[in-house]
Structure formats: structure tokens, C-alpha cells
Amino acid sequence: MDPLADLQTRLGHVFKRPELLAEALAHPSYTNEHPESGPSNQRLEFLGDAVLQLVLTEALYALYPTEPEGPLSRRRSVLANGRTLAALAASIGLDAALRLGASEDSTGGRARSSNREDALEALIGALYLDAGPEITRTRLLAIYGPLETYLATGLELDNPKGRLQERVQPLHGNAALRYESTHSAGADHAKEYSSKVFLLDRLVGEGRGTSKKNAEEAAARAALDQLGE
């Protein structure tokens, strides 16, 4: 089956505006090589990340009506972390439909977790613009399946950002942590990100990774070490 058709079948939605789907699948390496093709998926990724957070927040709020903010945030972090998003992207055939530059494709870009994760968030943004919030919520939760399935094992996995938040929240409140992430030098297929985490404007950790989220997790681990966990 054609990868685009297969993706839409598994997603359960045929795009009325196929240009949105094309944009969601366009990795920056592709648009660098084909500038005439339109924008990369980075703007849609920005939108999709916000939509994903809202959908998961609403779902968890309803699913766990007596839980306080801290545990709910931890559950949401498990459902939205890079490992989970990359697995979901693969489950709907998103990797096969990605538009990649020649170098990125030849060096394993379709299997790269950060590419799958970013493209899924972009796809969520495109779906939101094409179909609206209710269909987006329905289709997104259908991709996840029962949230308890992920949460049963995911809460046991390493979640340094969640642990750091739980560590500082009782003393400093919910907004005490701030992450600053930047691109580091590197080819399209080997980009590295740097991240710093600040506690009340005091630098407490730095880290690097192959995606922004990985770099932030590394910074959070460094902060936990500094704070004595």
C-alpha cells in the first residue's frame, strides 16, 4: 500500500487538505534540499505539541478524578515522552511516509526516534487544523489505546524531568524550573542539542542529546545529581 494511504488508514482520517499532511511529513533535511516544496514540519510540531498536552491533560483529569497535580503531571510525562511518541509513530506507519533529505534517509533517518517523535507531533498539529479539536482528540486517543496500558509500565521507566519537578515543587512551586535548549553544530543527520535547566534562575544542570527532549532529560539528570538524588 502507498505509505500516505496506509498512514491515513491507520490514523482513521483522510485529509481534506493534503498539503497539511505533506507539511507534517517534511523533515527539515528535505526542505533544505527542496526549498520549492514548502515549509518543514517544525511549525506544525509546535502546534501539535500543545494539542497533545491538552488532550492528554483532559483525558488524565477525567481518568483519575481524585489525583493531585503532581501524579497527574508524572502520568502525562510518561505518555508524552520521546520513547512513547516514537513508538506510536511507528505503529501507524509514520516512519515510512516521512519525507527526508537524501543524506538523512541514507543514514537511518526513518528509524531515528527524534524524527518519529517530531513528525508525530507535527501530524497532530496538521490533524487539528484539518479536522478540528474533537476529531483530533478521538483519533489521538485511539492511537494510544487504553492509557492505563502505557502507564502500567511507563511510570517505572526513567523520567528525570518528572523526578526533578517532584523534587523542587514542594519547596519552590510549580514554575520554579526553566529549561533553555539550543541547537549545536552538526550535520542534518547528526545534530546535537544542548540544554540548561535553571531553578529560580540558578543554573542547576546541563546536558546534551540528539533531540531537544533528550537534552532536557540529560540536564534534569545532572540537576538531580547536583541536588543529591
Side-chain angles (χ1 to χ4, degrees):
M1 181 182 288
D2 173 70
L4 285 179
D6 184 43
L7 173 61
Q8 291 178 95
T9 296
R10 296 194 196 189
L11 180 62
H13 177 76
V14 176
F15 277 77
K16 300 184 291 293
R17 298 168 59 191
E19 68 273 14
L20 286 172
L21 177 59
E23 182 178 339
L25 299 173
H27 187 268
S29 65
Y30 182 86
T31 56
N32 286 341
E33 293 182 9
H34 305 278
E36 77 286 350
S37 66
S40 74
N41 61 9
Q42 291 177 315
R43 278 176 53 84
L44 283 175
E45 178 192 345
F46 170 77
L47 174 61
D49 176 66
V51 173
L52 173 65
Q53 294 295 321
L54 178 59
V55 169
L56 292 177
T57 298
E58 288 182 335
L60 291 170
Y61 187 84
L63 190 59
Y64 300 98
T66 64
E67 276 197 348
E69 179 183 1
L72 288 173
S73 295
R74 189 179 177 200
R75 293 181 188 279
R76 185 180 61 190
S77 179
V78 169
L79 294 172
N81 69 27
R83 183 186 295 106
T84 298
L85 296 185
L88 290 175
S91 75
I92 59 173
L94 186 53
D95 47 345
L98 279 174
R99 297 196 294 168
L100 301 173
S103 176
E104 181 70 14
D105 202 3
S106 66
T107 55
R110 294 185 189 280
R112 194 162 287 122
S113 294
S114 59
N115 290 345
R116 294 177 175 181
E117 172 190 349
D118 293 348
L120 180 61
E121 290 179 337
L123 181 65
I124 294 168
L127 181 60
Y128 180 84
L129 293 177
D130 194 69
E134 289 306 316
I135 290 179
T136 300
R137 179 183 182 278
T138 300
R139 299 318 311 149
L140 181 55
L141 292 178
I143 294 172
Y144 273 96
L147 298 183
E148 299 93 326
T149 301
Y150 276 96
L151 294 171
T153 56
L155 285 171
E156 301 172 2
L157 300 175
D158 184 31
N159 178 20
K161 290 181 67 175
R163 297 205 318 269
L164 181 60
Q165 179 68 25
E166 290 182 355
R167 177 71 179 271
V168 306
Q169 184 174 330
L171 293 175
H172 304 291
N174 296 328
L177 293 174
R178 173 171 56 88
Y179 291 86
E180 290 185 1
S181 299
T182 58
H183 290 277
S184 295
D188 283 341
H189 65 279
K191 282 187 177 178
E192 189 176 63
Y193 293 76
S194 299
S195 184
K196 298 178 180 179
V197 58
F198 296 84
L199 173 59
L200 298 176
D201 294 324
R202 176 170 65 93
L203 178 64
V204 291
E206 298 183 65
R208 296 176 180 271
T210 56
S211 71
K212 177 182 176 182
K213 289 185 178 180
N214 288 342
E216 289 181 350
E217 288 177 350
R221 289 190 192 96
L224 287 166
D225 289 340
Q226 180 172 316
L227 295 174
E229 177 171 317

